[in-house]
């Protein structure tokens, strides 16, 4: 594995740690580890900057989908300071995945995320 590929996969692993963190303290710690202080998260439903805003979006997803976790689907692809990957939101109880999408992230020099641009491929009605 190349050093750059390892960098992309490490950043994406920290990203999923944040999205799957349980509890406010763990979420705060995971968001801080994954994103720069001025990092952004933008998708069709959210556009936020900074650790507090990102943590609030993640907490909102946990409230809307209790008992679900985000999972990587496929490989992480990257070049330069960019990486892209696909994911699903999966019910731990039965494995159903009502939400899916892909994200493109930009990394800072220290390997943390500067920006996320998310796209939703599957979303349940009314979400």
């Amino acid at each position: 594995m190349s050093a750059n590929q390892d960098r992309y996969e490490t950043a994406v692993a920290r990203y999923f740690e944040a999205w799957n963190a349980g509890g406010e303290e763990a979420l705060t710690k995971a968001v801080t580890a994954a994103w720069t202080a001025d990092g952004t998260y933008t998708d069709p439903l959210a556009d936020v900057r900074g650790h507090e805003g990102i943590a609030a979006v993640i907490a909102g997803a946990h409230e809307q989908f209790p008992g679900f976790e985000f999972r990587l689907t496929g490989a992480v692809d990257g070049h330069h300071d960019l990486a892209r990957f696909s994911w699903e939101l999966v019910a731990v109880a039965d494995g159903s995945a009502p939400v899916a999408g892909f994200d493109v992230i930009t990394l800072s020099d220290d390997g943390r995320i500067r920006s996320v641009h998310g796209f939703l491929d599957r979303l349940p009605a009314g979400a």
Side-chain angles (χ1 to χ4, degrees), residues 103-114:
D103 293 347
V104 177
I105 61 174
T106 304
L107 301 178
S108 65
D109 290 340
D110 70 0
R112 289 189 299 158
I113 299 168
R114 282 195 337 238

Side-chain angles (χ1 to χ4, degrees), residues 86-112:
S86 297
W87 53 266
E88 288 184 321
L89 183 60
V90 179
V92 175
D94 66 8
S96 63
V99 182
F102 78 92
D103 293 347
V104 177
I105 61 174
T106 304
L107 301 178
S108 65
D109 290 340
D110 70 0
R112 289 189 299 158

Side-chain angles (χ1 to χ4, degrees), residues 14 17-19 21 25-35:
R14 285 193 304 246
E17 286 173 17
W19 277 96
E25 184 176 334
L27 176 56
T28 298
K29 183 177 177 181
V31 167
T32 300
W35 272 270

Side-chain angles (χ1 to χ4, degrees), residues 15-16 41 43 70-74 85-90 99-103 118-123:
Y15 174 88
F16 281 104
Y41 178 85
D43 72 14
F70 286 87
R71 294 184 188 165
L72 179 67
T73 59
F85 55 93
S86 297
W87 53 266
E88 288 184 321
L89 183 60
V90 179
V99 182
F102 78 92
D103 293 347
F119 297 83
L120 300 172
D121 296 326
R122 183 172 61 241
L123 199 60

Side-chain angles (χ1 to χ4, degrees), residues 20-79:
N20 291 321
E24 186 176 341
E25 184 176 334
L27 176 56
T28 298
K29 183 177 177 181
V31 167
T32 300
W35 272 270
T36 60
D38 64 345
T40 63
Y41 178 85
T42 304
D43 72 14
L45 307 173
D47 186 10
V48 296
R49 176 179 299 276
H51 293 161
E52 285 186 21
I54 294 165
V57 167
I58 293 171
H62 285 253
E63 288 175 17
Q64 187 174 4
F65 295 97
F68 285 76
E69 65 183 21
F70 286 87
R71 294 184 188 165
L72 179 67
T73 59
V76 176
D77 182 28
H79 64 82

